[in-house]
Amino acid sequence: MKSVLSIQSHVAHGYVGGKAAVFPLQTQGWEVDNVNTVNFSNHTGYGTYKGSAISSADLSSIFHGLDSIQMQYDAVLSGYIPNAELIDEVSRYVKRVKTQKPNTIYLFDPVMGDQGFLYVSESCVARYRQLLNERIIDIITPNQFELELLCGFKINSNDDLRSAVRMLHDEYHIKYVVISSLEGDADHIRCAVSAYNDAHINEFQIPIIKSYFTGVGDLFSALLLDKFYTYVENEDTNIHTLTAAVNTALTITQKVLILTHELGVKAFKKAEGYNIDQPVGIINDAATMKYFELKVIQAKDYYSIKDGTFKSYSVHT
C-alpha cells in the first residue's frame, strides 16, 4: 500500500490541515501517518481559538521515534508549520526520509498567509527560503502571496510570474511548481502549473464562490499529491501529466466547495432563521464560519474522480 507522512495543523472542530487532507487520501488507498504541528480548538478564521503549537523537542522526538521503527514513505506532505524551529525539524527529517528512499516525493505547501496577511511567525519566511536551497522539494504549491514572500518581489504581471517560476526551477531545482491561486478577474482566480523540463506555464481560470472558506489549500495539495502519484507510478511525469493532475485536483476541490456552500446555506437558514437570500462565511465571524466548514466527509464520492473539467491555456516562458 502507498504511504504518506502528513505534517500539518490539527483542529478539534472543523476541517483544515490534517483534517482536510487525511481522509481524502485514505479514501484513495493511502496509508497516512499524521503529525500535528499545532493542536487548536478550531481554525483561526473564527476570530478566536485555543490551543498550542508542538514544541521542537516533541516534534524531534516523534521523528526519531519513526526512525527507530524504520519507517519509509512513498510521499511526504507538509503544510502549516508555525515557526522556524519546527521548520528546522521537518527539514532534517525529510532529508533523512529521502536519504533512505530517494524516490520519496516531497510536496511542500509553504503555508504562510494569503492576500497580504501573514499568519505564521515572520521567522518562517527566511527559514522557508533556506529550505528551498536544500533541494529536497519535488512539488511546491504556494499561493500568490506566499510565492511573493519566497521570491522577494511582487507578482504584478505574467513576466513577474515567469521570473518567479524560473527562480524556483533554476535556482532551487524544484521540478514541479503549482501556484494554487493567483489574482484573476472579478469572477475568477488563476492556477498556474510549470514543470522544469518544459518552456510553458499552463494556467486555469477557476470560478470564485463568494464565501470565505478555510482548508481549501490543504485539501487541494492532498488531492494533487494523490493524482500526481498515479503518474509517478507509471514513470510518466511532464508538464502535460502535471497539468492533468492539477486539473483533476481543482475539479474535485471545486465540487467540494460547491457542496460546502450549498449545505452551509441550507443549515444557516434553518438554524438561524435569517431572511438572507445568500448567507456566506465571513472571516473572524464564528456565527457564520461554523456553517461553512469544508464538507470533507459528505464529499467522499468525489475523491475518486480521475479527469478534470477545466480548460487550461499555455503561456510561453
Side-chain angles (χ1 to χ4, degrees):
M1 180 179 285
K2 53 194 176 184
S3 61
V4 58
L5 176 67
S6 173
I7 307 169
Q8 309 213 41
S9 62
H10 173 77
V11 291
H13 169 76
Y15 291 91
V16 300
K19 286 187 69 178
V22 171
F23 179 73
L25 287 168
Q26 289 172 328
T27 68
Q28 300 310 297
W30 288 87
E31 188 71 47
V32 185
D33 287 356
N34 190 49
V35 174
N36 301 327
T37 57
V38 301
N39 187 25
F40 289 164
S41 57
N42 50 272
H43 66 70
T44 58
Y46 280 78
T48 181
Y49 67 94
K50 300 294 182 181
S52 61
I54 192 172
S55 70
S56 59
D58 283 347
L59 184 58
S60 176
S61 178
I62 289 172
F63 288 149
H64 282 293
L66 294 173
D67 283 337
S68 71
I69 58 174
Q70 300 179 332
M71 289 305 303
Q72 294 188 351
Y73 297 100
D74 296 305
V76 176
L77 170 63
S78 70
Y80 181 80
I81 307 172
N83 59 60
E85 292 78 13
L86 296 179
I87 296 172
D88 284 339
E89 297 298 337
V90 171
S91 172
R92 282 192 283 268
Y93 185 64
V94 173
K95 287 177 185 175
R96 298 202 297 272
V97 169
K98 290 180 75 75
T99 297
Q100 295 168 3
K101 190 174 181 180
N103 62 344
T104 297
I105 298 170
Y106 179 28
L107 191 154
F108 167 60
D109 185 5
V111 179
M112 291 184 285
D114 199 4
Q115 299 180 344
F117 294 98
L118 193 70
Y119 39 69
V120 294
S121 165
E122 289 188 8
S123 65
C124 290
V125 179
R127 185 60 187 87
Y128 273 150
R129 289 176 179 169
Q130 293 176 18
L131 180 58
L132 298 183
N133 268 315
E134 292 167 11
R135 300 188 181 183
I136 58 175
I137 299 167
D138 298 291
I139 310 173
I140 188 170
T141 59
N143 61 35
Q144 179 171 336
F145 177 58
E146 291 158 351
L147 179 65
E148 292 170 343
L149 290 174
L150 292 174
C151 294
F153 56 85
K154 294 288 186 180
I155 309 298
N156 294 318
S157 67
N158 282 335
D159 286 341
D160 294 335
L161 176 62
R162 285 188 282 264
S163 295
V165 168
R166 293 295 0 142
M167 178 184 291
L168 294 176
H169 286 317
D170 296 342
E171 293 188 26
Y172 301 119
H173 300 267
I174 299 174
K175 291 182 179 180
Y176 306 109
V177 176
V178 179
I179 314 304
S180 58
S181 63
L182 289 157
E183 292 179 1
D185 59 34
D187 297 316
H188 298 84
I189 59 172
R190 296 179 294 150
C191 174
V193 183
S194 178
Y196 71 103
N197 55 358
D198 196 282
H200 296 79
I201 297 175
N202 289 344
E203 289 194 1
F204 296 92
Q205 284 194 335
I206 314 301
I208 294 173
I209 299 173
K210 299 186 184 301
S211 182
Y212 184 82
F213 304 100
T214 57
V216 181
D218 306 319
L219 173 64
F220 170 75
S221 291
L223 295 170
L224 174 59
L225 174 63
D226 174 57
K227 304 310 174 186
F228 181 78
Y229 187 77
T230 62
Y231 296 117
V232 173
E233 286 185 305
N234 296 324
E235 298 183 353
D236 183 18
T237 52
N238 54 46
I239 184 64
H240 303 294
T241 52
L242 177 64
T243 299
V246 170
N247 193 352
T248 305
L250 287 172
T251 298
I252 298 171
T253 302
Q254 188 74 355
K255 286 180 175 292
V256 174
L257 290 180
I258 291 170
L259 178 64
T260 297
H261 189 248
E262 289 176 349
L263 295 180
V265 168
K266 289 180 181 178
F268 185 94
K269 288 181 176 180
K270 181 178 180 180
E272 302 295 340
Y274 291 172
N275 184 21
I276 301 174
D277 289 336
Q278 200 67 292
V280 297
I282 302 170
I283 190 170
N284 294 332
D285 178 23
T288 58
M289 285 303 305
K290 63 183 178 181
Y291 294 107
F292 295 94
E293 292 283 354
L294 293 182
K295 300 301 186 283
V296 170
I297 308 302
Q298 295 89 331
K300 63 183 182 300
D301 292 338
Y302 297 150
Y303 304 136
S304 59
I305 290 174
K306 298 187 183 302
D307 297 305
T309 59
F310 292 108
K311 291 185 178 180
S312 67
Y313 56 95
S314 295
V315 179
H316 282 278
T317 60

